[in-house]
Amino acid sequence: MIIILKPGSTESEAKEILAHIESEGLRPLHMPGTERVVIGAIGDERILESLHFENYPQVERVTPILAPYKLVSREIHPHDTIVRLGGVSVGGDGFIVIAGPCAVESAEQMRDTARAVKSAGAHALRGGAFKPRTSPYSFQGLGRAGLKILQEIGREFGMPVVTEIVDTADIDEIAEHADALQVGARNMQNFRLLQALGKCGKPVVLKRGIAATIQDLLLAAEYIVAEGNAEVILCERGIKTFETATRNTLDLNAVPYIKQKTHLPIIVDPSHGTGVRELVPAMSRAAVACGADGLIIEVHRDPPHALSDGQQSLFPDEFAALMHGLKPFVEASGKTL
Ligand code: PEP
Ligand code: MN
Protein backbone atom coordinates (compact mmCIF):
# COMPACT_ATOMS: atom_id res chain seq x y z
CA MET A 1 0.00 0.00 0.00
CA ILE A 2 1.15 3.51 -0.79
CA ILE A 3 0.25 6.28 1.65
CA ILE A 4 0.71 9.82 0.34
CA LEU A 5 0.89 12.57 2.95
CA LYS A 6 -0.44 16.08 2.47
CA PRO A 7 2.05 18.77 1.42
CA GLY A 8 3.74 20.32 4.43
CA SER A 9 3.32 17.24 6.65
CA THR A 10 5.89 17.08 9.39
CA GLU A 11 8.52 14.47 10.13
CA SER A 12 6.72 13.45 13.30
CA GLU A 13 3.44 12.98 11.42
CA ALA A 14 5.25 10.61 9.04
CA LYS A 15 6.86 8.79 11.98
CA GLU A 16 3.49 8.26 13.62
CA ILE A 17 2.26 6.33 10.57
CA LEU A 18 5.53 4.43 10.14
CA ALA A 19 5.31 3.31 13.78
CA HIS A 20 1.71 2.20 13.30
CA ILE A 21 2.68 0.08 10.28
CA GLU A 22 5.53 -1.51 12.22
CA SER A 23 3.39 -2.22 15.26
CA GLU A 24 1.11 -4.33 13.04
CA GLY A 25 4.07 -6.50 12.05
CA LEU A 26 4.17 -5.00 8.56
CA ARG A 27 7.08 -3.39 6.75
CA PRO A 28 7.17 0.41 6.64
CA LEU A 29 9.08 2.30 3.93
CA HIS A 30 9.85 5.98 4.27
CA MET A 31 10.16 7.74 0.91
CA PRO A 32 10.47 11.48 1.43
CA GLY A 33 10.19 13.32 -1.90
CA THR A 34 10.71 16.95 -2.84
CA GLU A 35 6.99 17.78 -2.78
CA ARG A 36 5.32 14.99 -0.85
CA VAL A 37 6.23 12.39 1.72
CA VAL A 38 5.23 8.95 0.51
CA ILE A 39 5.05 5.99 2.85
CA GLY A 40 5.04 2.40 1.70
CA ALA A 41 3.42 -0.31 3.75
CA ILE A 42 4.35 -3.81 2.66
CA GLY A 43 2.37 -6.83 3.74
CA ASP A 44 -1.02 -8.44 3.30
CA GLU A 45 -3.14 -5.84 1.48
CA ARG A 46 -6.32 -6.96 3.32
CA ILE A 47 -4.74 -6.26 6.70
CA LEU A 48 -3.43 -2.95 5.38
CA GLU A 49 -6.87 -1.90 4.18
CA SER A 50 -8.41 -2.75 7.54
CA LEU A 51 -6.08 -0.26 9.23
CA HIS A 52 -7.70 2.74 7.47
CA PHE A 53 -4.67 4.97 7.14
CA GLU A 54 -6.86 7.38 5.19
CA ASN A 55 -8.36 8.45 8.54
CA TYR A 56 -5.12 10.14 9.63
CA PRO A 57 -5.55 13.91 9.11
CA GLN A 58 -2.07 14.19 7.54
CA VAL A 59 -2.90 11.59 4.85
CA GLU A 60 -3.95 12.84 1.44
CA ARG A 61 -4.66 9.47 -0.16
CA VAL A 62 -4.02 5.76 0.09
CA THR A 63 -3.61 3.45 -2.91
CA PRO A 64 -3.08 -0.31 -2.88
CA ILE A 65 -0.08 -1.81 -4.73
CA LEU A 66 -1.89 -3.98 -7.24
CA ALA A 67 1.04 -6.15 -8.36
CA PRO A 68 1.74 -9.29 -6.29
CA TYR A 69 5.36 -8.16 -6.07
CA LYS A 70 5.71 -4.97 -4.05
CA LEU A 71 9.27 -3.76 -3.42
CA VAL A 72 10.37 -4.39 -7.00
CA SER A 73 7.26 -2.75 -8.43
CA ARG A 74 7.37 0.62 -10.16
CA GLU A 75 4.20 1.47 -8.28
CA ILE A 76 6.26 1.97 -5.13
CA HIS A 77 9.54 3.07 -6.73
CA PRO A 78 8.91 4.99 -9.96
CA HIS A 79 12.55 5.71 -10.80
CA ASP A 80 15.03 3.25 -12.28
CA THR A 81 17.28 1.49 -9.80
CA ILE A 82 20.94 1.71 -10.73
CA VAL A 83 23.01 -1.20 -9.48
CA ARG A 84 26.74 -0.79 -8.91
CA LEU A 85 28.68 -3.74 -10.26
CA GLY A 86 32.21 -2.99 -9.09
CA GLY A 87 32.87 0.39 -10.68
CA VAL A 88 30.22 -0.07 -13.39
CA SER A 89 26.63 1.22 -13.23
CA VAL A 90 23.87 -1.08 -14.46
CA GLY A 91 20.58 0.62 -15.36
CA GLY A 92 19.90 4.21 -16.28
CA ASP A 93 21.63 5.67 -19.34
CA GLY A 94 24.52 3.22 -19.63
CA PHE A 95 24.56 -0.05 -21.56
CA ILE A 96 26.83 -2.71 -20.11
CA VAL A 97 28.29 -5.86 -21.57
CA ILE A 98 29.41 -8.73 -19.36
CA ALA A 99 31.46 -11.24 -21.32
CA GLY A 100 33.59 -14.29 -20.73
CA PRO A 101 33.49 -18.05 -20.86
CA CYS A 102 30.69 -20.22 -19.57
CA ALA A 103 33.13 -21.77 -17.09
CA VAL A 104 36.52 -20.94 -15.63
CA GLU A 105 38.79 -23.70 -16.95
CA SER A 106 42.30 -22.42 -16.22
CA ALA A 107 44.14 -19.18 -15.51
CA GLU A 108 45.48 -19.08 -19.07
CA GLN A 109 42.03 -19.59 -20.59
CA MET A 110 40.61 -16.80 -18.41
CA ARG A 111 43.53 -14.46 -19.09
CA ASP A 112 43.34 -14.86 -22.87
CA THR A 113 39.56 -14.47 -22.90
CA ALA A 114 39.62 -11.49 -20.50
CA ARG A 115 42.25 -9.73 -22.60
CA ALA A 116 40.13 -10.21 -25.72
CA VAL A 117 36.80 -9.11 -24.25
CA LYS A 118 38.35 -6.16 -22.45
CA SER A 119 40.00 -4.86 -25.60
CA ALA A 120 36.70 -5.28 -27.48
CA GLY A 121 35.01 -3.04 -24.88
CA ALA A 122 33.34 -5.40 -22.38
CA HIS A 123 32.73 -3.85 -18.97
CA ALA A 124 32.70 -6.94 -16.77
CA LEU A 125 33.96 -10.51 -16.85
CA ARG A 126 31.91 -13.66 -16.38
CA GLY A 127 33.01 -17.22 -15.65
CA GLY A 128 31.37 -20.03 -13.72
CA ALA A 129 33.34 -21.77 -10.98
CA PHE A 130 30.42 -23.82 -9.68
CA LYS A 131 28.51 -25.09 -12.71
CA PRO A 132 25.01 -26.55 -12.46
CA ARG A 133 25.05 -29.11 -15.28
CA THR A 134 22.16 -31.10 -16.66
CA SER A 135 24.28 -34.26 -16.52
CA PRO A 136 26.24 -35.24 -13.38
CA TYR A 137 28.97 -36.53 -15.71
CA SER A 138 29.59 -33.14 -17.36
CA PHE A 139 32.32 -30.76 -16.18
CA GLN A 140 31.12 -29.29 -12.87
CA GLY A 141 33.52 -26.36 -12.69
CA LEU A 142 36.78 -25.81 -10.81
CA GLY A 143 34.98 -24.71 -7.61
CA ARG A 144 37.09 -22.68 -5.19
CA ALA A 145 40.14 -22.77 -7.43
CA GLY A 146 38.02 -21.30 -10.21
CA LEU A 147 36.83 -18.48 -7.96
CA LYS A 148 40.40 -17.52 -7.16
CA ILE A 149 41.37 -17.52 -10.83
CA LEU A 150 38.37 -15.38 -11.73
CA GLN A 151 39.14 -12.84 -9.03
CA GLU A 152 42.81 -12.70 -9.97
CA ILE A 153 42.12 -12.21 -13.69
CA GLY A 154 39.41 -9.64 -12.98
CA ARG A 155 41.94 -7.64 -10.96
CA GLU A 156 44.62 -8.04 -13.58
CA PHE A 157 42.35 -6.50 -16.23
CA GLY A 158 40.49 -4.08 -13.95
CA MET A 159 37.12 -5.73 -14.61
CA PRO A 160 34.38 -6.57 -12.11
CA VAL A 161 33.57 -10.27 -12.09
CA VAL A 162 30.28 -12.20 -12.04
CA THR A 163 30.00 -15.86 -11.13
CA GLU A 164 27.24 -18.32 -10.34
CA ILE A 165 26.12 -19.43 -6.88
CA VAL A 166 24.48 -22.82 -6.61
CA ASP A 167 24.54 -23.49 -2.88
CA THR A 168 23.79 -21.32 0.14
CA ALA A 169 26.87 -22.74 1.84
CA ASP A 170 29.13 -20.98 -0.70
CA ILE A 171 27.68 -17.46 -0.36
CA ASP A 172 30.36 -15.94 1.88
CA GLU A 173 33.19 -17.33 -0.15
CA ILE A 174 31.75 -16.23 -3.49
CA ALA A 175 30.80 -12.80 -2.14
CA GLU A 176 34.43 -12.40 -1.07
CA HIS A 177 35.78 -13.18 -4.53
CA ALA A 178 33.16 -11.78 -6.93
CA ASP A 179 31.52 -8.41 -7.57
CA ALA A 180 28.14 -9.98 -8.29
CA LEU A 181 26.58 -13.39 -7.67
CA GLN A 182 24.58 -14.98 -10.45
CA VAL A 183 21.54 -17.11 -9.69
CA GLY A 184 21.16 -19.46 -12.62
CA ALA A 185 17.92 -20.42 -14.33
CA ARG A 186 17.79 -23.72 -12.47
CA ASN A 187 17.87 -21.98 -9.09
CA MET A 188 15.55 -19.06 -9.77
CA GLN A 189 12.96 -20.50 -7.40
CA ASN A 190 15.39 -21.78 -4.77
CA PHE A 191 13.76 -19.53 -2.20
CA ARG A 192 16.18 -20.26 0.65
CA LEU A 193 19.06 -19.31 -1.61
CA LEU A 194 17.28 -16.11 -2.69
CA GLN A 195 16.59 -15.14 0.91
CA ALA A 196 20.21 -15.74 1.89
CA LEU A 197 21.34 -13.60 -1.06
CA GLY A 198 19.17 -10.84 0.34
CA LYS A 199 21.78 -10.55 3.06
CA CYS A 200 24.97 -11.15 1.06
CA GLY A 201 25.88 -7.48 0.56
CA LYS A 202 26.68 -7.92 -3.15
CA PRO A 203 24.60 -7.39 -6.30
CA VAL A 204 22.73 -10.40 -7.62
CA VAL A 205 22.20 -11.25 -11.29
CA LEU A 206 18.92 -13.18 -11.26
CA LYS A 207 18.31 -15.26 -14.36
CA ARG A 208 14.84 -16.24 -15.43
CA GLY A 209 13.99 -19.92 -14.93
CA ILE A 210 13.52 -22.11 -17.99
CA ALA A 211 9.81 -22.53 -17.27
CA ALA A 212 9.21 -19.38 -15.25
CA THR A 213 6.72 -16.66 -16.09
CA ILE A 214 7.75 -13.03 -15.85
CA GLN A 215 5.71 -12.81 -12.67
CA ASP A 216 7.62 -15.77 -11.21
CA LEU A 217 10.87 -13.93 -11.98
CA LEU A 218 9.70 -10.73 -10.33
CA LEU A 219 8.47 -12.59 -7.25
CA ALA A 220 11.86 -14.31 -7.06
CA ALA A 221 13.50 -10.86 -7.15
CA GLU A 222 11.09 -9.76 -4.40
CA TYR A 223 12.51 -12.52 -2.14
CA ILE A 224 15.97 -10.98 -2.43
CA VAL A 225 14.88 -7.36 -2.06
CA ALA A 226 12.58 -8.20 0.87
CA GLU A 227 15.64 -9.39 2.82
CA GLY A 228 17.36 -6.05 2.36
CA ASN A 229 19.32 -6.36 -0.88
CA ALA A 230 17.95 -3.92 -3.48
CA GLU A 231 20.84 -4.58 -5.88
CA VAL A 232 19.19 -7.06 -8.23
CA ILE A 233 19.87 -7.23 -11.96
CA LEU A 234 17.26 -9.28 -13.80
CA CYS A 235 18.33 -11.42 -16.74
CA GLU A 236 16.21 -12.76 -19.61
CA ARG A 237 17.99 -15.91 -20.83
CA GLY A 238 15.31 -17.72 -22.80
CA ILE A 239 12.60 -20.15 -21.83
CA LYS A 240 11.58 -23.63 -22.96
CA THR A 241 8.90 -23.65 -25.63
CA PHE A 242 7.82 -26.20 -28.26
CA GLU A 243 10.49 -24.74 -30.57
CA THR A 244 13.46 -27.04 -31.05
CA ALA A 245 15.52 -25.16 -33.67
CA THR A 246 17.16 -23.14 -30.90
CA ARG A 247 18.23 -24.24 -27.42
CA ASN A 248 15.72 -21.87 -25.80
CA THR A 249 13.33 -19.17 -26.97
CA LEU A 250 14.66 -15.75 -26.05
CA ASP A 251 11.58 -13.95 -24.77
CA LEU A 252 12.37 -10.34 -25.58
CA ASN A 253 8.76 -9.40 -24.76
CA ALA A 254 9.95 -9.67 -21.19
CA VAL A 255 12.27 -6.68 -21.52
CA PRO A 256 9.80 -3.85 -22.21
CA TYR A 257 7.22 -5.54 -19.97
CA ILE A 258 9.68 -5.69 -17.08
CA LYS A 259 10.75 -2.09 -17.72
CA GLN A 260 7.12 -1.07 -17.37
CA LYS A 261 6.44 -3.05 -14.21
CA THR A 262 9.64 -2.74 -12.23
CA HIS A 263 12.47 -0.34 -11.48
CA LEU A 264 15.16 -3.02 -11.57
CA PRO A 265 17.65 -3.17 -14.46
CA ILE A 266 17.32 -6.03 -16.93
CA ILE A 267 20.03 -7.56 -19.08
CA VAL A 268 19.73 -10.17 -21.82
CA ASP A 269 21.69 -13.39 -22.32
CA PRO A 270 21.54 -14.20 -26.05
CA SER A 271 24.04 -17.06 -25.62
CA HIS A 272 21.75 -19.31 -23.56
CA GLY A 273 18.73 -17.65 -25.17
CA THR A 274 19.62 -19.10 -28.56
CA GLY A 275 22.28 -21.74 -27.86
CA VAL A 276 23.63 -21.01 -31.33
CA ARG A 277 26.77 -18.89 -31.82
CA GLU A 278 25.67 -17.47 -35.19
CA LEU A 279 22.45 -16.07 -33.71
CA VAL A 280 24.07 -14.19 -30.84
CA PRO A 281 24.97 -10.92 -32.65
CA ALA A 282 21.47 -10.41 -34.10
CA MET A 283 19.75 -11.12 -30.80
CA SER A 284 22.19 -8.80 -29.03
CA ARG A 285 21.10 -5.98 -31.32
CA ALA A 286 17.48 -6.93 -30.73
CA ALA A 287 18.05 -6.74 -26.97
CA VAL A 288 19.36 -3.19 -27.33
CA ALA A 289 16.41 -2.22 -29.49
CA CYS A 290 13.81 -3.44 -27.00
CA GLY A 291 15.33 -1.46 -24.15
CA ALA A 292 17.63 -3.82 -22.25
CA ASP A 293 20.24 -2.32 -19.92
CA GLY A 294 22.95 -4.70 -21.00
CA LEU A 295 24.03 -8.10 -22.24
CA ILE A 296 25.79 -11.12 -20.82
CA ILE A 297 27.57 -13.04 -23.55
CA GLU A 298 29.65 -16.21 -23.57
CA VAL A 299 33.05 -15.81 -25.23
CA HIS A 300 35.84 -18.41 -25.22
CA ARG A 301 39.37 -18.19 -26.57
CA ASP A 302 38.86 -21.57 -28.24
CA PRO A 303 35.14 -22.49 -28.37
CA PRO A 304 35.54 -25.92 -30.06
CA HIS A 305 37.55 -27.03 -27.02
CA ALA A 306 35.43 -25.32 -24.34
CA LEU A 307 34.47 -27.60 -21.43
CA SER A 308 30.91 -26.22 -21.48
CA ASP A 309 28.65 -24.34 -23.90
CA GLY A 310 31.24 -24.17 -26.70
CA GLN A 311 28.53 -24.25 -29.40
CA GLN A 312 27.10 -20.94 -28.24
CA SER A 313 30.38 -19.24 -27.24
CA LEU A 314 31.77 -16.59 -29.56
CA PHE A 315 35.33 -16.59 -30.83
CA PRO A 316 37.15 -13.45 -29.65
CA ASP A 317 37.10 -11.84 -33.10
CA GLU A 318 33.37 -12.49 -33.42
CA PHE A 319 32.84 -10.77 -30.08
CA ALA A 320 34.88 -7.77 -31.21
CA ALA A 321 32.75 -7.53 -34.36
CA LEU A 322 29.58 -7.81 -32.29
CA MET A 323 30.69 -4.94 -30.02
CA HIS A 324 31.54 -2.81 -33.04
CA GLY A 325 28.17 -3.50 -34.67
CA LEU A 326 26.30 -2.81 -31.42
CA LYS A 327 27.48 0.78 -31.09
CA PRO A 328 25.02 2.48 -33.48
CA PHE A 329 22.14 0.50 -31.97
CA VAL A 330 23.07 1.54 -28.45
CA GLU A 331 23.40 5.16 -29.55
CA ALA A 332 20.04 5.01 -31.30
CA SER A 333 18.47 3.70 -28.10
CA GLY A 334 19.70 6.79 -26.27
CA LYS A 335 22.23 4.94 -24.14
CA THR A 336 26.01 4.82 -24.12
CA LEU A 337 28.16 1.75 -24.55
C1 PEP B 1 25.47 -19.78 -17.41
O1 PEP B 1 25.37 -18.56 -17.33
O2 PEP B 1 26.47 -20.38 -17.85
C2 PEP B 1 24.28 -20.59 -17.05
C3 PEP B 1 24.38 -21.83 -16.59
O3 PEP B 1 23.14 -19.92 -17.28
P1 PEP B 1 21.61 -20.36 -17.08
O4 PEP B 1 21.42 -20.48 -15.62
O5 PEP B 1 20.87 -19.20 -17.68
O6 PEP B 1 21.40 -21.63 -17.84
MN1 MN C 1 26.80 -21.41 -20.02
Side-chain angles (χ1 to χ4, degrees):
M1 173 174 281
I2 298 166
I3 304 162
I4 300 158
L5 303 195
K6 288 179 180 158
S9 302
T10 63
E11 184 75 18
S12 68
E13 285 173 328
K15 278 195 180 140
E16 185 188 5
I17 297 177
L18 290 163
H20 186 176
I21 297 167
E22 201 159 15
S23 71
E24 299 288 341
L26 302 160
R27 176 195 282 248
L29 285 175
H30 192 195
M31 296 177 282
T34 43
E35 287 169 28
R36 291 269 204 291
V37 173
V38 177
I39 289 172
I42 308 297
D44 186 324
E45 288 287 335
R46 279 166 311 177
I47 298 176
L48 285 164
E49 270 166 38
S50 73
L51 299 175
H52 293 287
F53 291 107
E54 66 277 8
N55 291 343
Y56 278 91
Q58 65 269 41
V59 171
E60 183 170 284
R61 99 190 111 87
V62 168
T63 49
I65 301 172
L66 299 174
Y69 39 87
K70 311 291 176 190
L71 297 168
V72 306
S73 166
R74 264 209 203 273
E75 292 177 64
I76 201 149
H77 188 297
H79 305 295
D80 285 350
T81 285
I82 297 181
V83 175
R84 295 291 295 171
L85 168 59
V88 177
S89 297
V90 188
D93 295 337
F95 188 87
I96 63 122
V97 179
I98 304 167
C102 179
V104 177
E105 298 167 8
S106 70
E108 296 69 36
Q109 169 248 14
M110 282 309 298
R111 186 173 291 112
D112 289 348
T113 310
R115 186 181 297 115
V117 299
K118 168 101 183 179
S119 74
H123 306 87
L125 187 63
R126 62 153 289 153
F130 297 93
K131 295 301 302 176
R133 302 305 303 281
T134 304
S135 162
Y137 308 116
S138 300
F139 175 58
Q140 303 287 313
L142 296 181
R144 288 177 175 185
L147 273 185
K148 292 207 172 75
I149 293 172
L150 182 68
Q151 182 180 42
E152 186 186 305
I153 303 296
R155 284 187 181 154
E156 193 174 319
F157 290 91
M159 299 174 93
V161 298
V162 180
T163 197
E164 184 162 350
I165 171 100
V166 295
D167 191 325
T168 338
D170 301 325
I171 290 185
D172 290 344
E173 190 162 21
I174 299 184
E176 208 178 291
H177 290 83
D179 298 284
L181 289 78
Q182 172 180 320
V183 176
R186 291 155 191 82
N187 270 312
M188 190 207 80
Q189 286 189 312
N190 183 340
F191 300 116
R192 296 280 294 275
L193 178 63
L194 300 176
Q195 285 175 322
L197 288 168
K199 299 191 179 83
C200 77
K202 285 277 167 88
V204 176
V205 175
L206 179 63
K207 296 186 111 183
R208 181 176 177 183
I210 54 174
T213 64
I214 298 171
Q215 181 167 305
D216 294 338
L217 172 64
L218 297 180
L219 285 168
E222 184 86 7
Y223 267 95
I224 302 171
V225 180
E227 294 298 325
N229 186 355
E231 302 227 288
V232 177
I233 301 166
L234 302 169
C235 179
E236 167 57 45
R237 50 78 71 207
I239 49 174
K240 290 279 180 216
T241 66
F242 53 79
E243 182 55 71
T244 54
T246 50
R247 183 177 179 187
N248 291 293
T249 297
L250 189 61
D251 177 19
L252 290 182
N253 292 352
V255 176
Y257 183 87
I258 281 173
K259 281 280 165 202
Q260 215 173 58
K261 298 291 180 188
T262 88
H263 51 88
L264 297 175
I266 173 156
I267 62 172
V268 170
D269 175 349
S271 305
H272 294 86
T274 62
V276 184
R277 177 182 311 127
E278 291 73 19
L279 304 183
V280 171
M283 295 317 287
S284 298
R285 295 192 291 272
V288 175
C290 68
D293 296 296
L295 290 162
I296 180 164
I297 298 177
E298 287 185 343
V299 183
H300 195 283
R301 65 171 179 175
D302 181 14
H305 295 105
L307 296 183
S308 60
D309 286 350
Q311 79 294 341
Q312 67 193 32
S313 299
L314 298 181
F315 285 87
D317 58 339
E318 290 175 325
F319 178 69
L322 180 153
M323 290 297 283
H324 187 70
L326 213 55
K327 246 197 168 98
F329 285 82
V330 175
E331 279 161 18
S333 80
K335 293 183 190 263
T336 45
L337 190 59

